[in-house]
Amino acid sequence: MTAARRKGRISPALQDRLHQLEQKASEMGLHIHYDVLEAAGLKLKGGICKIRGEYHLFIERRTSAAEKIDIIQDYLDH
């Protein structure tokens, strides 16, 4: 298996943990968006914002599963 193919795979444990956190965020009313956060050559960090009274968390789509877990967990803890 090539390194490029291996990179896209997520371990089942990480995938389950990510799904659990996404579910918990949804129950708390936090919408999570995975997008390519790049515009006009600028790489954006992402973050949380309030739109029409609802909270939205934007995360770079190309971020690793472990980093996504850390980001979501951090926002849920606060």
Side-chain angles (χ1 to χ4, degrees), residues 35-50:
D35 293 314
V36 176
L37 300 179
E38 191 172 322
L42 299 173
K43 289 190 176 187
L44 307 173
K45 291 181 86 174
I48 194 164
C49 64
K50 190 174 184 179

Side-chain angles (χ1 to χ4, degrees), residues 15-65:
Q15 194 169 13
D16 288 344
R17 180 68 180 140
L18 182 58
H19 181 71
Q20 289 171 356
L21 288 173
E22 291 169 341
Q23 196 73 16
K24 184 177 178 182
S26 178
E27 291 169 3
M28 294 176 70
L30 177 63
H31 303 276
I32 298 176
H33 305 274
Y34 299 109
D35 293 314
V36 176
L37 300 179
E38 191 172 322
L42 299 173
K43 289 190 176 187
L44 307 173
K45 291 181 86 174
I48 194 164
C49 64
K50 190 174 184 179
I51 303 171
R52 295 186 181 141
E54 295 182 338
Y55 287 97
H56 297 262
L57 176 60
F58 293 89
I59 300 173
E60 170 62 48
R61 180 186 306 171
R62 297 171 286 196
T63 303
S64 72

